[in-house]
Amino acid sequence: MNRFPTLSTRRLHLRAPQARDLDAYAAFYADADASGWYGGPLRRDEAWRQLAQEVGHWHLRGFGVWTLVRKDDGRVIGATGLHHPEGWPRHELTWWLVPHSRGAGYAAEASEAVIAFAINTLGWPAVETHILDGNIAAHRLARRLGGEVIAREAFPDGHERDVYRLATNETAGEAIGERPGEASTTQREGSA
Amino acid sequence: MTGMAPVIDTARLRLRAPRLKDFGPYAAYYASPRAVWEDGPLDMARAWKEFASGAGLWSLRGYGSLSIEDRATGAYLGETGIYHPAHYLEPELGWMVVAEAEGRGIAREAAIAARDWAYRVRGLPPLLNYIDPRNLRSIRLAERLGARHDPAAPVPEGEGPCIVMRHPGPEEIAA
């Protein structure tokens, strides 16, 4: 029984993180500017722990982040998924890309597939994310995904964040998966 | 693929894959001064990283952390298992028990079961512990498990003060 579902979009395969993704994790977390919003920068051994933690999240929660693999050349370019550490007040849609893969719409493409999975397969009523004020790129992407700010809250790390609702099971049908060529398909490997 | 983690029963204990509900008592242990030799005390976010990365090891390496459950009551007593983050040079046998499980030989019983599983099922070479030299309690338990100080073994970079205790290998245990 495989508990790690895969997703597919026009340009990307989404699969659970694996040990061979370490180079991409290390490359992202070595980029202080971008990874600073995600607890970085991290040394390579710390990036490995981050990778192991993401895998463990799947084991413990039954959902997590997927590794993004380009269909055309097989390169690992980042991660997108659903994150909810125990003790943290809200789940979030999260994403990151290695430096050379930004600005090409990959995060939005992967996010739409993940949102559709959360609503259609996990049965979530809504998908959220919460973002620190200075992370301009993330705010832009949240709005591009149809996100609306539904709250502003202080989180356990002492920082306030805007909370976005990205899609609900009422809005997902119109917002996601209905553009030609961008519809996401979901399959589970083996029996669920 | 949590199915890769075994269920191991001992006289008093059940070792099994970590579950979400174990995290409360796990985080309470790491928040307490008792975790001072385990890089603690840790806040909940850091404790989650430790907890989840131990669980994730099962997919990445085929071994990892195991929760210790009281067979009689189902209570969570702590964690043991085989730890191997990127900068470790070899797999480590580890253990921790919550305050209520102290002084009853729980860590010893659990660690022996995890060690024997690692040898028998995974065929791992003689395991070690990286231990802070001031953590006398843990050094004593390692000694009770038959481990000896291994001054020749290299220490991982960035681990701070650390000695290596080397456990008996499978042949030594069988003899």
Side-chain angles (χ1 to χ4, degrees):
Chain A
M1 190 160 67
N2 194 332
R3 297 182 54 200
F4 301 140
T6 60
L7 304 177
S8 175
T9 68
R10 187 165 59 85
R11 294 179 294 170
L12 299 170
H13 286 301
L14 282 67
R15 58 156 175 76
Q18 300 174 358
R20 61 192 162 120
D21 300 338
L22 177 59
D23 284 346
Y25 272 74
F28 172 71
Y29 280 102
D31 172 3
D33 287 341
S35 72
W37 304 109
Y38 298 77
L42 301 179
R43 299 188 311 264
R44 189 176 173 85
D45 62 295
E46 294 169 327
W48 190 90
R49 190 178 295 262
Q50 192 67 27
L51 168 61
Q53 176 203 327
E54 301 295 9
V55 178
H57 192 289
W58 276 102
H59 285 295
L60 294 162
R61 283 270 189 214
F63 60 87
V65 302
W66 285 263
T67 293
L68 311 185
V69 184
R70 277 173 56 153
K71 284 181 174 174
D72 58 355
D73 63 7
R75 269 197 296 174
V76 171
I77 60 163
T80 300
L82 304 163
H83 201 238
H84 194 177
E86 186 74 357
W88 196 252
R90 290 175 180 271
H91 77 262
E92 62 175 334
L93 179 75
T94 184
W95 56 80
W96 56 261
L97 295 170
V98 295
H100 62 78
S101 296
R102 294 175 194 150
Y106 287 122
E109 184 173 325
S111 293
E112 289 183 347
V114 169
I115 292 169
F117 175 84
I119 289 175
N120 299 330
T121 304
L122 297 177
W124 289 11
V127 177
E128 297 176 356
T129 194
H130 44 269
I131 304 173
L132 287 165
D133 289 345
N135 192 355
I136 307 298
H139 282 280
R140 198 181 299 135
L141 179 55
R143 285 193 292 270
R144 183 174 164 189
L145 293 168
E148 283 174 49
V149 176
I150 55 164
R152 183 168 179 86
E153 285 179 8
F155 282 79
D157 61 0
H159 293 291
E160 288 201 353
R161 291 170 174 84
D162 285 342
V163 178
Y164 286 86
R165 188 174 55 208
L166 298 172
T168 66
N169 52 10
E170 283 87 36
T171 62
E174 49 197 271
I176 295 155
E178 295 201 338
R179 260 167 294 170
E182 293 217 343
S184 63
T185 56
T186 300
Q187 69 254 358
R188 284 184 178 272
E189 289 178 357
S191 60
Chain B
M1 282 197 282
T2 325
M4 292 170 65
V7 175
I8 305 170
D9 284 341
T10 68
R12 293 177 293 168
L13 310 173
R14 166 160 292 182
L15 311 186
R16 52 153 178 83
R19 294 178 195 153
L20 206 53
K21 69 179 176 65
D22 304 332
F23 182 66
Y26 177 98
Y29 166 84
Y30 270 101
S32 76
R34 301 180 60 247
V36 64
W37 305 120
E38 315 286 342
D39 301 325
L42 301 181
D43 64 22
M44 198 174 273
R46 279 283 313 281
W48 172 261
K49 280 194 181 214
E50 291 297 318
F51 183 69
S53 62
L57 274 175
W58 286 102
S59 291
L60 297 170
R61 297 208 191 261
Y63 47 81
S65 61
L66 293 165
S67 289
I68 307 169
E69 196 176 271
D70 187 321
R71 277 178 69 179
T73 67
Y76 176 83
L77 300 180
E79 189 179 283
T80 187
I82 317 296
Y83 300 85
H84 199 165
H87 67 301
Y88 277 23
L89 305 154
E90 300 176 46
E92 178 186 42
L93 177 64
W95 56 76
M96 71 88 172
V97 294
V98 299
E100 305 81 68
E102 284 257 322
R104 292 160 50 197
I106 301 290
R108 181 173 187 275
E109 187 170 324
I112 287 174
R115 177 198 72 188
D116 291 353
W117 175 88
Y119 291 158
R120 198 181 59 249
V121 181
R122 285 289 178 263
L124 293 181
L127 296 167
L128 53 65
N129 286 116
Y130 299 118
I131 305 183
D132 188 302
R134 295 164 293 183
N135 186 0
L136 299 178
R137 201 183 172 99
S138 221
I139 291 172
R140 274 193 217 109
L141 175 51
E143 286 170 345
R144 283 211 305 281
L145 292 166
R148 285 179 293 271
H149 184 213
D150 181 356
V155 172
E157 235 174 283
E159 271 301 294
C162 176
I163 63 166
V164 174
M165 296 294 288
R166 175 75 62 185
H167 288 268
E171 295 82 12
E172 228 179 310
I173 291 167

